Amino acid sequence: MSMVDSCPTSPHIHRVFWMPVPDQVPASGEAGDGAGVRAGTRHAFWGRRWDGQEAECKTVCGVVVNLDESSPLDWISMAECGDCRAEILRVRGEVRP
């Protein structure tokens, strides 16, 4: 299985998509008190959108993660990755002091 290479060398560096990425949870901890609420982070990826097929992708901030379908609650409850946001701004030349 190949990994989607998420790098800014594309001519479309202005195209990114965000996806909630749940934290890795041990199998024994899956049935916890927060039924339906998963901890995690919304990461950015270079490109237009997730193809829905490749599971292993590299985030803008350089972390290799497994992508899967997300729920509306994931989008609300997971915080945005500040490192992804900073890297997008750096690559686009929009870094602010």
Side-chain angles (χ1 to χ4, degrees):
M1 174 184 284
S2 65
M3 180 180 72
V4 173
D5 186 21
S6 183
C7 65
T9 56
S10 162
H12 303 289
I13 63 168
H14 294 287
R15 291 188 173 184
V16 295
F17 66 94
W18 293 82
M19 285 287 292
V21 179
D23 291 339
Q24 295 290 338
V25 179
S28 62
E30 287 182 11
D33 292 337
V37 178
R38 298 188 294 180
T41 306
R42 289 189 323 266
H43 282 281
F45 302 85
W46 297 111
R48 286 184 51 193
R49 64 180 166 266
W50 179 45
D51 64 10
Q53 296 177 12
E54 293 290 337
E56 192 173 71
C57 298
K58 188 175 180 182
T59 66
V60 168
C61 66
V63 178
V64 176
V65 298
N66 289 319
L67 291 182
D68 196 0
E69 295 296 325
S70 58
S71 74
L73 190 55
D74 291 340
W75 285 94
I76 295 167
S77 64
M78 293 182 191
E80 179 181 282
C81 176
D83 292 339
C84 283
R85 173 69 60 197
E87 181 63 10
I88 291 166
L89 293 174
R90 186 194 68 76
V91 168
R92 292 179 179 172
E94 299 175 19
V95 175
R96 295 175 178 90

